[in-house]
Amino acid sequence: MHLQHRRIASIHAAGWAVWALAAASALSPGIALAQVPDVSTAEPPGFAPVQLPVVATEPADAAVRQRDNAPAAPRQSGVWLEPRITVQHTVTNNARLDATHVSDQVTEVNPGFRLVSDTARINGFVDYSLRTAHYARGTASDQVWHNLNARGTAEAIENRVFVDVAGVVALQPISAFGAPGADSPANPNMAQTSSFRVSPYLKGSVGSNVDYEARYSVQDTRSDAENRAGVTVQGWLLHLGSKPDGHTIIGWALDAMQEDADFSTGRNVDTTTLRARMSYLASPQLLLVGIGGVESTNQLSPTHKSHSIVGFGADWRPSKQTRLFLERESRYFGEAHKVNFEYRTSRTIWSYTDRKGIFAGLGAQSSASMGSLFDLLDSFYARTEPNAIRRTQLVMAEIERRGLPADMQVFQDFLTSSSTLQRLQELSVALLGQRSTFTLAVLRSDTRLLDGTLQLGDDFDTNTRIRQRGWRLMVGHRLTPNASINASFGEMRSVGSVPGLETRVRPLILGWDTLVARRTNVGVQLRRVLSDGSVTRYDESAIMGFITHRF
């Protein structure tokens, strides 16, 4: 079989830092390869109470993070590595996901590994797989793709110098109005996209109650789509602040930021920001924040213009199971905000996020993650299982025994060639029974063009605004200790500002999965997809069988 490598995204300098994290972790003392107690077949404990913007140079919820002074519980350190391989075969009546209905059989071999490091110097994860596809009837040439999600922090000098790294390599939709599915490798609307970020920083304290941080960040985003731009974003941050603690209820922070976005087919966008925060600890459960500042940018005009920043924030934690964080600012492009709500009971998980801001390249969903359902369960177990390795094993075992995918993403970000203003709202709910699980994900995004003077070949050549909304319901039921069935149904809709420009996709998936050996799963999946609208009309019926072995 001859494999053409034209779909392999090149790994730039920033990307090698992610691989360095994996190599350093794997070579660290205490690595566990199939030596950590296996929980894949064990019954999880009772359900007692147990996300990266494009350039994250600003400390996330800095005042909130600083006020949490509770001592960390003792934990066990180590490195856990789990290699795996999946072989799957798909028979489909529409390999290209278009109106031609070309049928084919696709055989895929996907080796990969999952690495979790929880040591004194390196903390993070790497989840990587190599996807190879062969088409029996030649619908498309044999191809190879990478799939990577990695994020971690290395402590270079104890308690002083750190390095954050993150990387995402995946298939992304080129257009919001084309076929969205990565399940069909021959889909012409998917492009291999890579985004790598490296951020070294120095932090410490002056005196007993003043913290400082100096950070540099560079992020490079590229895709193999010929009509989409790449972007490199560099930024600096200087932070100085004092946190409210048991002796004072007043805190303050000063942040100076500079950010430069260099698009390969557009112009450079430079933004400088000076922001001050005053925080007030109204009660042990409530923190209030006032925000003021000034910024200068050439985002909306060829020359730099200055704008004021005014805003407020709050962090309310009435119990260990409930948290509400919100922040709102008046910026040069209008209103920006962040809202996060989390609530957990013994059997349910509720999560809501609402973000509005400027994004370059990929949107707000581009952060590294092992899957949205994984993240939901990971936060669920975080309070009763502080060890990252043990918690990862528990979460993966819970997902596998219920026959659910680790990701319940409704739709992915589409590729753009310039900065955009995006509002993204996400609601996730999980109901966890003894044998059945119900998960619901609802997503809505509103993306707007900031600079309409450039024609860059993306969806915004003809649209000034693109709205997307969708939902996905997944149900998993455990038939026996080793076998489970699952089903998912949803809808994705994209609407442009051009009258009549709209697409709708409705996928239905039924699956069965069973454990045939201690570390080997086999399964069958039936898929039915209906797409209508003014741009893309097609339907697909497919059956897929797979076998996965974890070493």
Side-chain angles (χ1 to χ4, degrees):
M1 179 175 67
H2 176 65
L3 297 177
Q4 297 184 5
H5 293 262
R6 63 180 180 85
R7 302 291 303 259
I8 300 181
S10 59
I11 300 177
H12 301 275
W16 292 111
V18 176
W19 298 110
L21 171 69
S25 299
L27 295 175
S28 298
I31 183 171
L33 176 59
Q35 295 177 2
V36 178
D38 183 45
V39 297
S40 58
T41 58
E43 185 76 16
F47 292 97
V50 271
Q51 141 177 139
L52 185 72
V54 171
V55 174
T57 54
E58 182 178 352
D61 306 351
V64 174
R65 191 173 61 247
Q66 290 176 346
R67 78 168 190 201
D68 293 333
N69 298 315
R75 62 176 178 83
Q76 296 179 348
S77 299
V79 178
W80 176 58
L81 173 64
E82 183 183 71
R84 66 179 182 270
I85 186 169
T86 298
V87 180
Q88 67 182 47
H89 185 77
T90 303
V91 179
T92 174
N93 70 343
N94 194 348
R96 295 195 182 104
L97 298 183
D98 58 22
T100 61
H101 282 87
V102 177
S103 61
D104 208 336
Q105 299 185 40
V106 187
T107 302
E108 298 183 48
V109 180
N110 307 323
F113 68 89
R114 180 178 294 112
L115 173 70
V116 180
S117 177
D118 187 27
T119 67
R121 289 299 180 94
I122 299 177
N123 291 274
F125 68 88
V126 179
D127 193 302
Y128 171 79
S129 62
L130 183 70
R131 184 180 182 184
T132 65
H134 170 69
Y135 304 83
R137 298 184 178 180
T139 300
S141 58
D142 297 343
Q143 297 174 2
V144 177
W145 299 270
H146 297 287
N147 190 71
L148 170 71
N149 278 281
R151 184 175 65 234
T153 299
E155 186 176 5
I157 300 178
E158 186 175 2
N159 295 327
R160 282 294 179 267
V161 180
F162 303 82
V163 180
D164 289 343
V165 297
V168 176
V169 181
L171 289 175
Q172 297 282 144
I174 300 173
S175 170
F177 305 103
D183 293 327
S184 179
N187 181 2
N189 190 48
M190 304 302 290
Q192 177 84 97
T193 304
S194 63
S195 182
F196 294 101
R197 176 177 175 267
V198 178
S199 180
Y201 60 99
L202 168 71
K203 72 174 185 178
S205 299
V206 178
S208 60
N209 200 36
V210 177
D211 299 325
Y212 66 86
E213 180 178 326
R215 177 188 292 265
Y216 169 74
S217 177
V218 57
Q219 179 158 346
D220 186 79
T221 301
R222 296 282 183 263
S223 79
D224 63 3
E226 297 179 356
N227 57 347
R228 294 295 186 270
V231 60
T232 300
V233 185
Q234 300 184 65
W236 291 89
L237 165 71
L238 297 177
H239 167 78
L240 190 67
S242 175
K243 57 192 176 185
D245 54 24
H247 304 288
T248 177
I249 59 174
I250 302 295
W252 60 271
L254 293 174
D255 294 316
M257 296 174 57
Q258 192 277 331
E259 182 178 291
D260 178 78
D262 182 10
F263 290 89
S264 60
T265 60
R267 63 184 180 90
N268 287 15
V269 177
D270 180 75
T271 303
T272 302
T273 305
L274 180 63
R275 183 183 280 106
R277 287 182 169 88
M278 291 294 296
S279 56
Y280 171 65
L281 193 61
S283 72
Q285 295 80 30
L286 178 62
L287 180 71
L288 303 176
V289 180
I291 304 170
V294 64
E295 59 188 339
S296 175
T297 182
N298 63 342
Q299 177 74 74
L300 303 180
S301 63
T303 59
H304 284 77
K305 294 186 178 181
S306 297
H307 307 265
S308 61
I309 300 175
V310 179
F312 62 88
D315 184 22
W316 182 47
R317 305 188 186 188
S319 67
K320 293 183 179 180
Q321 293 78 30
T322 308
R323 182 196 177 191
L324 173 63
F325 169 82
L326 64 90
E327 186 174 278
R328 186 187 187 279
E329 293 181 332
S330 175
R331 301 281 305 278
Y332 68 89
F333 53 83
E335 180 253 347
H337 64 252
K338 293 183 292 185
V339 177
N340 294 299
F341 173 73
E342 300 174 2
Y343 177 68
R344 292 175 285 108
T345 70
S346 61
R347 294 287 181 183
T348 63
I349 313 169
W350 304 76
S351 174
Y352 173 75
T353 62
D354 186 350
R355 291 162 286 176
K356 183 179 180 181
I358 300 295
F359 295 92
L362 296 176
Q365 300 184 72
S366 60
S367 60
S369 166
M370 285 195 280
S372 54
L373 180 58
F374 178 94
D375 292 342
L376 204 63
L377 294 177
D378 185 70
S379 64
F380 186 76
Y381 281 113
R383 293 190 179 275
T384 58
E385 183 50 73
N387 180 263
I389 294 176
R390 177 69 179 178
R391 190 169 65 250
T392 298
Q393 293 179 306
L394 287 173
V395 172
M396 294 308 302
E398 182 66 15
I399 290 174
E400 290 172 2
R401 84 184 186 104
R402 294 175 183 270
L404 297 173
D407 196 1
M408 56 180 183
Q409 192 173 42
V410 179
F411 55 79
Q412 297 173 280
D413 286 314
F414 59 94
L415 299 180
T416 63
S417 296
S418 62
S419 298
T420 58
L421 173 61
Q422 184 185 63
R423 181 182 183 184
L424 181 69
Q425 298 169 278
E426 300 177 87
L427 171 66
S428 301
V429 180
L431 286 73
L432 309 175
Q434 291 291 347
R435 299 179 62 183
S436 300
T437 302
F438 298 86
T439 62
L440 173 66
V442 182
L443 191 65
R444 183 169 68 176
S445 73
D446 188 340
T447 308
R448 302 178 185 230
L449 181 66
L450 288 171
D451 185 358
T453 62
L454 301 176
Q455 296 291 304
L456 302 176
D458 60 13
D459 286 340
F460 287 105
D461 279 359
T462 55
N463 295 273
T464 59
R465 180 182 184 185
I466 296 175
R467 291 172 294 170
Q468 294 179 289
R469 61 183 183 271
W471 57 272
R472 185 178 180 185
L473 175 66
M474 295 194 303
V475 180
H477 179 70
R478 186 159 53 101
L479 299 172
T480 69
N482 293 331
S484 62
I485 56 175
N486 61 83
S488 71
F489 180 66
E491 180 178 284
M492 299 160 281
R493 188 187 298 265
S494 299
V495 182
S497 59
V498 175
L501 182 59
E502 180 177 350
T503 61
R504 183 180 64 166
V505 180
R506 290 169 292 169
L508 171 64
I509 299 174
L510 304 175
W512 169 83
D513 182 281
T514 188
L515 189 71
V516 295
R518 184 169 177 265
R519 304 181 69 84
T520 304
N521 288 71
V522 299
V524 177
Q525 188 179 95
L526 302 176
R527 183 173 70 237
R528 176 66 175 167
V529 181
L530 299 174
S531 176
D532 55 28
S534 60
V535 180
T536 307
R537 288 179 174 269
Y538 68 89
D539 64 86
E540 183 210 22
S541 298
I543 181 171
M544 184 265 287
F546 70 90
I547 179 171
T548 298
H549 179 73
R550 297 174 290 112
F551 297 94

